Amino acid sequence: MRKVLALFTNNPRDSRKMSSSFDRGPKMKKIFRARNVFLAVAVSLVVWVMQFVYRTNNFCEPGDHPIQSEADAIAVAKKKMVKNPFFSSERFGSAPDFVDALERTESCCKAFRSRNMFGLIFWDVYLGASISTTPNAGIYWRPWRSSKSHTALVAMSNCGVISTSDSYKDADY
């Protein structure tokens, strides 16, 4: 009779005798231990970084595509270089002229693929060409300087976005 009454009352003395199927207090404390919370936060951070890296490497803007090979990286660098104003200057010349000179030069280009510590893919494309110049009647013209050597490094992401802070251009006279 006492057990039956204990089921229907909230008397703490009698609740000790009840079964522990409704008593979840100690189990809930085990779930929210500091170790478990730390592991949950760490796993969430790792999953977020992996999702960010995958999305950044594989989902490009409309009109672009993820770079698949060195030849593809060189073609994308040439195409993007013409559109970027960073690669046109008075000393370097115009980027379209440089790209035209690349077409006439053998073994002009090299591409290297690398990853940073988060797993993002970056491409470094080295472009080099000799552009012939017409002789100038000025004092400083020398016959051995009848061509200019142009070099450019195009640093870009896996989708072809150029990083001008990591890129450079140089023209030797």
Side-chain angles (χ1 to χ4, degrees):
M1 180 75 171
R2 189 173 225 192
K3 288 182 181 180
V4 173
L5 287 174
L7 289 173
F8 296 108
T9 62
N10 287 334
N11 190 350
R13 233 176 351 127
D14 293 333
S15 65
R16 289 179 283 172
K17 298 174 188 171
M18 290 177 32
S19 66
S20 64
S21 63
F22 296 108
D23 187 22
R24 294 188 181 164
K27 290 182 183 179
M28 290 299 284
K29 288 180 186 176
K30 288 182 182 179
I31 291 174
F32 291 110
R33 285 187 179 164
R35 177 191 66 205
N36 295 343
V37 171
F38 174 75
L39 287 174
V41 169
V43 167
S44 299
L45 183 66
V46 167
V47 167
W48 179 75
V49 168
M50 288 174 48
Q51 180 262 346
F52 170 76
V53 167
Y54 179 78
R55 187 183 63 223
T56 304
N57 284 338
N58 297 313
F59 295 117
C60 301
E61 294 178 3
D64 291 337
H65 65 280
I67 297 171
Q68 300 294 323
S69 65
E70 291 180 11
D72 191 20
I74 292 168
V76 169
K78 288 179 184 178
K79 182 179 87 173
K80 296 280 186 161
M81 185 179 180
V82 172
K83 296 177 183 177
N84 195 330
F86 173 77
F87 291 102
S88 293
S89 65
E90 185 176 326
R91 182 168 187 236
F92 188 74
S94 69
D97 292 340
F98 177 65
V99 172
D100 289 339
L102 289 173
E103 300 298 330
R104 296 186 302 267
T105 306
E106 276 187 45
S107 66
C108 66
C109 313
K110 293 181 184 176
F112 299 100
R113 179 181 166 184
S114 61
R115 289 184 182 258
N116 69 359
M117 65 185 223
F118 295 111
L120 292 174
I121 299 172
F122 290 99
W123 289 90
D124 291 329
V125 181
Y126 294 95
L127 306 169
S130 294
I131 299 174
S132 62
T133 58
T134 57
N136 188 358
I139 295 174
Y140 298 108
W141 180 79
R142 302 286 183 259
W144 59 86
R145 290 195 174 192
S146 62
S147 67
K148 291 192 273 185
S149 174
H150 284 64
T151 308
L153 166 69
V154 181
M156 58 186 178
S157 71
N158 197 44
C159 288
V161 177
I162 293 177
S163 169
T164 55
S165 62
D166 295 332
S167 299
Y168 74 88
K169 61 186 184 278
D170 189 26
D172 294 333
Y173 291 102

